[in-house]
Amino acid sequence: MRLTNYFLPLLKETPSDATIASHQLMLRAGMVRQNAAGIYTWLPLGHKVLKRIEQIVREEQNRAGAIEMLMPTIQSAELWKQSGRYDAYGPEMLRITDRHDREMLFGPTNEEMLTDVFSSFVRSYKDLPKMLYHIQWKFRDERRPRFGVMRGREFLMKDTYSFDLTPEDARKSYNKMFVAYLNTFERLGLKAIPVRAETGPIGGDLSHEFVILADSGESAVYADRDLVEMNAPGTDIDFGGDLQSVVDQRTALYAAADEMHDADAFAAIPEDKRMEARGIEVGHIFYFGTKYSEPFNAKVQGPDGKPSLVEMGSYGIGVSRLVGGIIEASHDENGIVWPASVAPFGAGIINLKVGDAECDGVAEELYAKLSEAGLDPLYDDSSDRGGVKFSRMDLIGLPYAVTVGPRGVRDGVVEVKDRRTGERESLSVEAAVAKLTG
Ligand code: ATP
Ligand code: MG
């Protein structure tokens, strides 16, 4: 992409209502624009990152055996009356009436809808297990939308629902999602830790929130440092292994947010391993048995010929919240520092003397070669000053910036800067291309 053809509306001033780094940076870098409280337009740069995150989430769901589908955003109130949640959900639910005065709502989640779909098609245990998911916009009329896309009202969520014959089978589905989540966050360059979460009336230990550590996080997190390191980038888990032992190993180490915190258990951890921090919830997995299969009478015929209610779980990831979450975890005083896996462009090219035949030639050559290699470069071919170009590139946080200037061109080199480390290297065009694509 050539910058002069792109739409990158940067802000010079930091809007005063943006109090945390990710919100400020997303506005300044022209990623989003607020339309109403908690409702955002995803501008091209933000949209690219959102789609890259969504794709990683999708690939890891597919790898775990979940099947993608798409349910609507607008739902009928009938479904929610059937589960008893129409009243229970309260003012967070956006209620709508259509022209025939029928009660509708903008879906805050999809347990009811998918249980209804499932129960109208599946009759036999032979069709189980099944995990179905979609990636769709949700609406929750949050009391206090804030922190930009991190607590929006309209937000993009991946939600998966598992259907099994027995609680033991449901546990296997839960473990698959647990591992899929570890792998997903690892690919996103995040250290996400699974913390025990409240399970409500069902009880048991089958609910975990996945949190990433950031000072701006809304919840206090207490954890064993070993657990944090165990989930560091570069630790993909193979589904061919024993998933129960992976889950056991992670859940044996202490990690809890405020509500589930046990001060005595925490104090028993050696002091140098004890970590108290703030966290952002980026995912939540839940086993809830027959809570929804009961009201929807979602039964399958078991091997003994008797009908039994299906055992269910649901598993959410905040895709749009992750855009802000990743920035919280990865930025510096000059701007965003994208992990390569989600960067909106693989590299930037800065031409310091647009209009100079030699600089233009080298920049075009780089642009062609990096594009051909699939790196999707952003070429700053504008007539802005060098300083403006450098700070813009730092702000939008692409992994590498390659600068083409008259002096370097004379010596046959360009300068490659690594955004994360700040290291600069003078390289020939061939060597620069090899470094970035190798
Ligand atoms: P929170 O405690 O942050 O309000 P929640 O527990 O109500 O979230 P879930 O119902 O577990 O959220 O939804 C699954 C995921 O969707 C969450 O883990 C989070 O990443 C994301 N999410 C929930 N609410 C919002 C929101 N208002 N804006 C952006 N993402 C959200
Ligand atoms: Mg939650």
Side-chain angles (χ1 to χ4, degrees), residues 24-203:
Q24 293 171 349
L25 289 169
M26 285 182 75
L27 293 169
R28 281 183 48 211
M31 293 179 66
V32 288
R33 176 176 161 81
Q34 182 177 307
N35 299 104
I39 301 179
Y40 291 87
T41 288
W42 291 80
L43 297 166
L45 196 74
H47 181 247
K48 269 195 123 182
V49 176
L50 184 71
K51 288 289 153 184
R52 292 205 74 186
I53 295 172
E54 178 184 322
Q55 184 56 22
I56 289 175
V57 170
R58 173 179 290 117
E59 286 170 15
E60 293 304 321
Q61 286 298 302
N62 294 347
R63 182 148 80 110
I67 305 162
E68 186 170 12
M69 58 189 287
L70 185 60
M71 290 176 271
T73 54
I74 306 294
Q75 306 187 19
S76 153
E78 288 311 313
L79 282 173
W80 289 70
K81 288 180 178 165
Q82 205 167 331
S83 70
R85 283 210 289 182
Y86 192 60
D87 294 325
Y89 220 92
E92 280 201 4
M93 180 181 276
L94 182 65
R95 295 153 209 262
I96 308 163
T97 38
D98 71 8
R99 65 198 298 164
H100 305 294
D101 266 343
R102 276 190 285 256
E103 291 175 297
M104 314 291 282
L105 57 98
F106 198 121
T109 178
N110 287 66
E111 279 83 3
E112 282 80 356
M113 186 174 272
L114 190 54
T115 310
D116 180 54
V117 169
F118 180 89
S119 68
S120 50
F121 293 117
V122 181
R123 297 273 176 265
S124 164
Y125 76 97
K126 289 179 188 152
D127 295 323
L128 301 183
K130 277 281 173 295
M131 294 193 288
L132 297 164
Y133 76 98
H134 73 161
I135 301 172
Q136 176 63 292
W137 293 91
K138 308 289 190 285
F139 195 95
R140 294 183 186 173
D141 204 351
E142 299 273 355
R143 193 171 54 87
R144 241 187 114 193
R146 57 184 181 150
F147 300 157
V149 300
M150 295 238 275
R151 184 166 296 285
R153 292 197 295 168
E154 190 184 50
F155 60 97
L156 188 60
M157 194 205 286
K158 182 286 299 172
D159 39 327
T160 307
Y161 303 87
S162 64
F163 301 87
D164 285 281
L165 182 64
T166 65
E168 298 73 51
D169 290 348
R171 171 90 215 203
K172 287 183 193 145
S173 296
Y174 187 90
N175 290 348
K176 281 187 187 160
M177 280 299 130
F178 190 106
V179 169
Y181 276 40
L182 292 176
N183 287 341
T184 301
F185 298 126
E186 182 271 323
R187 278 185 68 187
L188 295 173
L190 294 168
K191 286 183 183 177
I193 47 179
V195 307
R196 257 176 289 160
E198 274 171 323
T199 48
I202 306 292

Side-chain angles (χ1 to χ4, degrees), residues 152-329:
R153 292 197 295 168
E154 190 184 50
F155 60 97
L156 188 60
M157 194 205 286
K158 182 286 299 172
D159 39 327
T160 307
Y161 303 87
S162 64
F163 301 87
D164 285 281
L165 182 64
T166 65
E168 298 73 51
D169 290 348
R171 171 90 215 203
K172 287 183 193 145
S173 296
Y174 187 90
N175 290 348
K176 281 187 187 160
M177 280 299 130
F178 190 106
V179 169
Y181 276 40
L182 292 176
N183 287 341
T184 301
F185 298 126
E186 182 271 323
R187 278 185 68 187
L188 295 173
L190 294 168
K191 286 183 183 177
I193 47 179
V195 307
R196 257 176 289 160
E198 274 171 323
T199 48
I202 306 292
D205 61 347
L206 285 184
S207 180
H208 287 90
E209 286 174 2
F210 287 76
V211 301
I212 56 174
L213 305 177
D215 293 339
S216 58
E218 287 183 299
S219 45
V221 180
Y222 307 84
D224 189 319
R225 279 184 203 284
D226 286 344
L227 182 61
V228 183
E229 286 320 310
M230 221 176 254
N231 298 303
T235 54
D236 184 73
I237 299 160
D238 184 15
F239 276 91
D242 174 3
L243 302 189
Q244 184 64 53
S245 71
V246 173
V247 175
D248 289 344
Q249 183 198 27
R250 310 293 161 134
T251 51
L253 290 167
Y254 189 87
D258 264 338
E259 324 82 60
M260 296 289 282
H261 181 49
D262 173 346
D264 292 337
F266 187 59
I269 302 168
E271 196 171 353
D272 61 322
K273 301 277 188 198
R274 245 180 268 160
M275 194 197 64
E276 275 188 65
R278 307 290 303 170
I280 301 167
E281 177 190 329
V282 288
H284 195 169
I285 62 177
F286 214 109
Y287 162 63
F288 46 71
T290 58
K291 185 175 174 187
Y292 297 95
S293 50
E294 231 170 87
F296 287 93
N297 199 31
K299 287 182 176 164
V300 292
Q301 196 170 48
D304 56 2
K306 288 192 194 128
S308 69
L309 292 169
V310 290
E311 294 284 328
M312 292 178 58
S314 70
Y315 315 86
I317 291 183
V319 177
S320 51
R321 176 177 287 183
L322 274 165
V323 181
I326 291 170
I327 297 173
E328 284 300 316

